[in-house]
Amino acid sequence: RLIRFLPFALTFALLVPSAANAATLIVFGTNSPGDATASGSITCCGSDTLNLSLTNTSPYAASITGVGFDLVAGDFSGNSSGLNGFTGTSSSADFTFSDGTLGNVPLFSTAVLDFGYLTGSNPLDGIAPMETVNFTVTGPFGGLTEAQIMAALFVRFQQVGEDGRGSDVGRALNVTAVPEPASMLLFGTGLAALARRRFRRSTGK
């Protein structure tokens, strides 16, 4: 009886969204897509808190020196609370959070960063290849969805390319759902049950 129930439980678990789900992201630079890359995950905005984990996957010595957000097409008009009231922390001391307009984004003339994290003038600071930094922002996100937050993300790369002389700005290009561990366990159990059921039918046992 339990085995008969598992496939239905599996279907239910996959169709019902979980609050523990995150979204994964992959970032490619605009000028040098193969030399400026990053991956990570984002959750937003429980208790008006955004959590971003970002890993530099670039080759050579490219460094991530800036992470910023341009909410609602640069003007933030979708949030009645305005731009003020955001606070941010980072797992790296190289980054400083700024709650204010950080200026236009190179290569994206209509984008104006509303808040974000920047390093100092030394391009050696920031996220080195194969390193991960976690960012947290708390503030009045005004009901913005996770998809809107994802689309607002900009990542700055420096020391790009084999000679380390390039710079680039990347954006998240694809998003997928990451099931919580319990759902993954149920998924595996359901597959095992289906395989066992098919084996019994084929062997007549």
Side-chain angles (χ1 to χ4, degrees):
R1 292 181 180 179
L2 177 60
I3 292 177
R4 291 181 180 179
F5 170 77
L6 284 174
F8 298 100
L10 168 62
T11 303
F12 179 81
L14 294 178
L15 292 177
V16 176
S18 169
N21 284 2
T24 61
L25 61 90
I26 298 177
V27 177
F28 291 97
T30 303
N31 288 329
S32 307
D35 292 337
T37 62
S39 64
S41 64
I42 188 169
T43 56
C44 183
C45 295
S47 302
D48 279 335
T49 299
L50 162 71
N51 293 296
L52 169 67
S53 177
L54 198 61
T55 300
N56 186 352
T57 57
S58 305
Y60 310 116
S63 178
I64 294 175
T65 58
V67 177
F69 295 87
D70 173 29
L71 297 177
V72 192
D75 57 10
F76 211 56
S77 59
N79 189 324
S80 60
S81 299
L83 280 172
N84 299 321
F86 289 90
T87 59
T89 59
S90 166
S91 62
S92 170
D94 290 340
F95 290 91
T96 300
F97 179 80
S98 177
D99 176 26
T101 301
L102 299 179
N104 289 80
V105 181
L107 308 177
F108 298 92
S109 59
T110 60
V112 179
L113 295 182
D114 299 316
F115 56 81
Y117 300 82
L118 297 175
T119 63
S121 58
N122 187 352
L124 293 176
D125 294 337
I127 309 176
M130 304 313 298
E131 287 187 346
T132 301
V133 170
N134 298 312
F135 303 91
T136 300
V137 181
T138 301
F141 284 98
L144 294 176
T145 66
E146 191 171 84
Q148 288 174 311
I149 296 294
M150 185 80 70
L153 175 65
F154 290 80
V155 179
R156 183 178 73 177
F157 298 85
Q158 291 184 265
Q159 301 184 139
V160 176
E162 189 172 2
D163 60 6
R165 296 181 179 180
S167 61
D168 212 341
V169 176
R171 303 191 69 181
L173 295 183
N174 66 332
V175 181
T176 57
V178 179
E180 60 179 312
S183 295
M184 290 301 294
L185 176 61
L186 186 56
F187 178 79
T189 304
L191 289 180
L194 290 174
R196 181 178 177 186
R197 188 175 181 180
R198 177 164 294 189
F199 173 79
R200 285 184 171 181
R201 283 182 178 178
S202 63
T203 59
K205 296 181 179 180

